[in-house]
Amino acid sequence: MTSLSHHRKKNMSDTSRQRPAPWTGFEDIVVGSSFEGFGRTISDAEITMMTAMTTGFHQPIHTNIEYVRSHTAFTGLLLPGPLIISYAIGLLSATLVYSGITIAFVGLDQVRSKVPAYGGDTLTPTATVRAKKLTSNPPKGIVELDIVVSKQDGTEVQTFLYTLMVRA
C-alpha cells in the first residue's frame, strides 16, 4: 500500500477535509503539494448511461453483465478507464483550486489502470503538483499534476499525469 493510499484509508471517516485556497497566480502553486477532489459513488446506471452515450465503450465488459459473469473473473460491469479520467478531472475541477487560473488543457500522459472500478464504488481523485515552469511566452506557465484515483478503501484504481497551461 502506498503512503498516499495509507493516508486516504486512515482518514476515510474525515468528511471535513481541508482543501487549499484557490490558486490566484503562479506563485500559489507549490511543487510537491497535494489536494483531494470530491468523492463520487458511481452507479451501474451511470455506467450504462455513459456507455450508451459514447460509441467506443460498447465492449461487453462495460455493457453485458451476463457476458462478464460467464467469460471473465470480474464481479460486475466495469467503469471504462476513460470515464474514470473524466470523473477525476471533474471532481478535481469542482474544488476550484486551479480553475481560476487555467488557460488550457495541455495533455494526459502515463495513464495506468490498476484495478477495476464497478458500480457502487466511490472514486476520489488526489492531485500532487509534480512540476511547474514558465513558458517562453509569459505570462503563462505549465503545471503538471500527478493524479491518483482511489476507491473507498484506498485502493488505487488509476493514475495519470494531467498537464495544464495557467496564467503566470
Side-chain angles (χ1 to χ4, degrees), residues 58-124:
H58 289 284
Q59 299 295 321
I61 60 173
H62 306 302
T63 61
N64 184 335
I65 192 62
E66 295 309 318
Y67 175 88
V68 170
R69 288 179 181 146
S70 63
H71 292 89
T72 76
F74 299 122
T75 59
L77 296 176
L78 291 130
L79 182 62
L83 293 179
I84 296 170
I85 294 168
S86 185
Y87 276 116
I89 291 171
L91 294 167
L92 287 165
S93 294
T95 67
L96 304 178
V97 171
Y98 57 83
S99 300
I101 65 168
T102 300
I103 295 171
F105 164 81
V106 175
L108 289 173
D109 296 287
Q110 302 170 7
V111 178
R112 296 293 177 266
S113 294
K114 298 183 173 200
V115 299
Y118 301 103
D121 282 336
T122 299
L123 302 180
T124 305

Side-chain angles (χ1 to χ4, degrees), residues 4-5 7-8 12 17-20 33-42 79 83-98 108 121-129 145-162:
L4 178 60
S5 294
H7 174 75
R8 284 219 357 92
M12 289 309 295
R17 288 182 183 82
Q18 294 291 321
R19 288 190 177 75
S33 65
S34 297
F35 64 95
E36 188 173 85
F38 294 99
R40 179 175 176 119
T41 303
I42 309 303
L79 182 62
L83 293 179
I84 296 170
I85 294 168
S86 185
Y87 276 116
I89 291 171
L91 294 167
L92 287 165
S93 294
T95 67
L96 304 178
V97 171
Y98 57 83
L108 289 173
D121 282 336
T122 299
L123 302 180
T124 305
T126 301
T128 301
V129 179
L145 300 171
D146 284 317
I147 309 300
V148 176
V149 183
S150 301
K151 288 187 185 190
Q152 62 278 359
D153 64 0
T155 304
E156 292 182 3
V157 174
Q158 191 177 71
T159 59
F160 59 93
L161 178 64
Y162 181 40

